[in-house]
Amino acid sequence: MAEFMTETTQGHTGQPAVTACPGEAAPPAEPLPRRLVGSRTNGPAGALDGQDAEVILDRARASVDPELRAAVAALPGSMRRIARYHLGWEQPDGTPAAGHGGKAIRPALVLAAAAALGGPQARAGAARAAAAVELVHNFTLLHDDVMDRDPTRRHRPTAWTVFGDADAILAGNALQALALRLLAEDPHPASPAATARLAACVVELCAGQQADMALERRAPAEVTLDEVLAMAEAKTGALLGCACAVGALYAGAAEEDVEAMDAFGREAGLAFQLIDDVIGIWGDPGRTGKPAGADLVARKKSLPVVAALTSGTPAATELAELYARPYEEGEAERTVLAVERAGGRDWVQAEAADRMARALHELARAVPDPAAAGGLLALAEFVTRRTS
C-alpha cells in the first residue's frame, strides 16, 4: 500500500506498539534517511554517481544475466525448460517470453559489496559469483512454491502448477547444484571460500524452511516472536548475508570485514522479510502478483500475525480465534483489522526500521566511507521502500 512506503522509510524512534515482545531489548531504532544516495560521489569503489537502487538492480541484471543464461543452458533439456520458464525467459511451450527472473537484489548485493571493498575491478570479477547466489535463490523459490502451494509468482503460474510437483522440485535441485558448480569452477582465488560459504548457506536455508513448515503445524498460541525472527533470519537473512560476504571475499577483504558484511546482509534481510510479510497482507495484488491477503487465507504465522497474537490485547484474542479454524469466505477484512488493532503492523514497521539501523551500523564497520558504500546504501533503502 502507498502509505506503507513512507511510514517504513521514516523509521520509528518510539516503543513498538506490541508490548509483549519476548527477548532482550533491542537498541533503539534510528530514522532512516529519506535518500541514502542522491549526490554524485567519487569514492574508491567507483560509487554509482547518483544512481538509485533501480539503476543498480538493472545494472546487476545486465552483468549477471549472461552468466545465468550460459549456466542454465548447460542443464539437461527437461530441467532447462522448467528453469527457463521459472526465470521468466520462456512460456510453458518453450516460446520466448519478455520477463526476467525477479528484482536481482541478491546478485546486486554481491556486486555492490565487491565494489564497496575492492572497486570496479572487483565488481567485474564477481559476476559469476553473483549468478551462483541468484541460482540458489531460485532453487529456494521453486521449492517454497511447492511446499506453500502458491499458485502464482511474478504475475504468472508457478512452475509446479505448470510442470507438476516432482519436476519443479527436481529443477530446483538442479539449480542448487548448478550454482555450486558454477562457483567452484570459477578461477577467481576467492572461489573456494565463497563456495564453502554458499554451501553452508544452503544448509541454513533448508533449516529455516523446515522451521517455517514446523511452525505452521503448531497452534497460534505456541509460537513466539523469537522463533519466527530466528526462522526469518535463516530463510531470508542468511542468503542476503551470504551475498554480501561473497562480494567481500571477491574483493579480497579481511575476515572481519567479510563477517561485518554478512551481518549487514542478515539484518537487511530481516528488514526485507518484515516488509515482505506486510506486503503479504496489505500488498496490492496488481504489484505483487499474488492474491490480496494470501498469507492470512493460508493462516501463515507471519511476523505481523505473531506480533499481533503475542500483544496481549483483546484484538489478539479475536485473531487467535480466527486462526484456530480454517479460513471462511468473507472474513479476510476482519482478520486484517484484528492484526492491525493488535499492533502487528506497527510492530513490524518499527522492527524493520530497527533492523535497518543495525544493518547500517554493520556496514559502517566494513565500509566507513559513505561514498564507497553508496550502492549498498541504495539497496538497503530499496528494501524498506518496496511495495512488491
Side-chain angles (χ1 to χ4, degrees):
M1 297 179 70
E3 69 273 19
F4 156 66
M5 292 199 304
T6 303
E7 291 167 2
T8 306
T9 52
Q10 286 174 341
H12 297 256
T13 55
Q15 292 296 317
V18 174
T19 57
C21 177
E24 215 171 90
E30 299 173 2
L32 294 175
R34 284 189 177 272
R35 285 207 56 84
L36 294 166
V37 290
S39 58
R40 293 183 65 85
T41 57
N42 295 289
L48 293 168
D49 285 5
Q51 297 175 0
D52 63 15
E54 295 290 353
V55 175
I56 296 168
L57 293 168
D58 287 345
R59 186 181 175 196
R61 275 192 291 268
S63 296
V64 171
D65 192 63
E67 296 283 354
L68 282 175
R69 287 180 181 271
V72 170
L75 290 174
S78 57
M79 297 296 97
R80 183 169 64 246
R81 179 186 174 197
I82 299 165
R84 290 180 65 83
Y85 171 80
H86 169 75
L87 290 164
W89 303 340
E90 288 184 357
Q91 303 293 355
D93 62 2
T95 56
H100 58 73
K103 299 180 181 67
I105 291 171
R106 291 152 191 84
L109 285 170
V110 175
L111 299 176
L117 288 157
Q121 186 174 355
R123 183 194 185 281
R128 186 176 295 185
V133 169
E134 185 68 353
L135 286 169
V136 164
H137 173 53
N138 281 280
F139 138 69
T140 68
L141 296 182
L142 281 163
H143 283 201
D144 284 3
D145 286 344
V146 173
M147 286 183 272
D148 294 343
R149 311 313 287 171
D150 284 334
T152 59
R153 180 173 293 280
R154 298 166 184 158
H155 304 278
R156 62 183 193 159
T158 44
W160 72 268
T161 67
V162 176
F163 301 100
D165 290 3
D167 281 357
I169 291 168
L170 291 168
N173 292 343
L175 290 187
Q176 181 203 152
L178 187 62
L180 294 173
R181 189 182 79 181
L182 187 67
L183 197 50
E185 292 178 350
D186 190 353
H188 194 284
S191 167
T195 303
R197 196 166 198 112
L198 187 58
C201 180
V202 168
V203 174
E204 189 173 358
L205 290 170
C206 292
Q209 177 66 9
Q210 191 279 330
D212 189 18
M213 301 298 289
L215 288 173
E216 292 308 310
R217 293 192 294 269
R218 287 163 54 186
E222 297 174 356
V223 177
T224 70
L225 267 175
D226 280 349
E227 289 178 302
V228 182
L229 284 167
M231 177 272 294
E233 180 178 350
K235 272 196 66 173
T236 304
L239 189 55
L240 269 71
C242 182
C244 295
V246 165
L249 286 169
Y250 269 66
E255 183 178 350
E256 59 267 26
D257 291 336
V258 173
E259 294 306 323
M261 291 303 298
D262 183 271
F264 161 72
R266 283 176 180 270
E267 294 292 354
L270 271 173
F272 184 99
Q273 186 60 56
L274 287 154
I275 301 307
D276 202 60
D277 283 358
V278 169
I279 292 169
I281 297 175
W282 293 277
D284 177 2
R287 296 181 62 89
T288 65
K290 293 187 175 185
D295 285 359
L296 297 180
V297 172
R299 295 302 191 232
K300 293 284 289 183
K301 297 181 183 73
S302 62
L303 284 156
V305 168
V306 176
L309 287 169
T310 57
S311 67
T313 63
T317 302
E318 179 186 2
L319 181 62
E321 291 171 355
L322 289 168
Y323 255 59
R325 63 174 190 262
Y327 173 77
E328 296 178 7
E329 193 68 33
E331 66 181 18
E333 184 177 354
R334 180 185 170 193
T335 310
V336 169
L337 289 174
V339 175
E340 291 200 23
R341 288 199 305 271
R345 188 175 186 176
D346 288 342
W347 182 87
V348 164
Q349 292 179 166
E351 184 72 8
D354 178 60
R355 293 294 176 170
M356 285 311 307
R358 298 186 194 198
L360 298 183
H361 172 75
E362 295 292 346
L363 178 59
R365 287 175 51 206
V367 191
D369 179 7
L376 289 166
L377 290 170
L379 291 170
E381 182 188 26
F382 176 82
V383 164
T384 63
R385 289 172 61 90
R386 67 194 185 92
T387 57
S388 63

